[in-house]
Amino acid sequence: DNTVALQGRSASVAKALGMASVLENFEIDPQVVIAGDLSRDGKLHAVGGAHHRLQAAFEAKKKIAILPMGNQDAVADLYLLK
């Protein structure tokens, strides 16, 4: 089952990617997780709880986690936990 519940603004990038994959006929690797707040003018904004999102992706053994650059501190925090 490759379906995932998407909620809130932080899922807007995932939703946009999902729509693009349907329109352009490409698959999204289920090992990839993505989060980001995409504004109406196309700007990407950081998401809340990035540290917890990365930790959950790590625990789920996902291979790639994509977050906005505004969340780069969460990556350092996660590295320190391991």
Side-chain angles (χ1 to χ4, degrees):
D1 183 15
N2 288 337
T3 60
V4 177
L6 300 174
Q7 299 177 348
R9 293 186 333 215
S10 64
S12 59
V13 171
K15 290 175 184 177
L17 182 60
M19 286 188 285
S21 75
V22 170
L23 294 172
E24 298 295 325
N25 196 30
F26 65 87
E27 291 186 23
I28 300 169
D29 186 337
Q31 289 300 312
V32 174
V33 294
I34 186 168
D37 180 7
L38 188 62
S39 66
R40 290 183 184 182
D41 61 359
K43 293 184 179 163
L44 185 60
H45 301 278
V47 295
H51 172 83
H52 298 291
R53 294 169 194 270
L54 288 173
Q55 190 171 10
F58 178 77
E59 290 170 2
K61 301 200 184 318
K62 298 298 181 181
K63 294 184 180 187
I64 299 172
I66 302 171
L67 293 172
M69 287 297 293
N71 289 114
Q72 63 190 357
D73 290 344
V75 175
D77 290 344
L78 185 66
Y79 182 75
L80 292 174
L81 285 177
K82 195 64 184 145

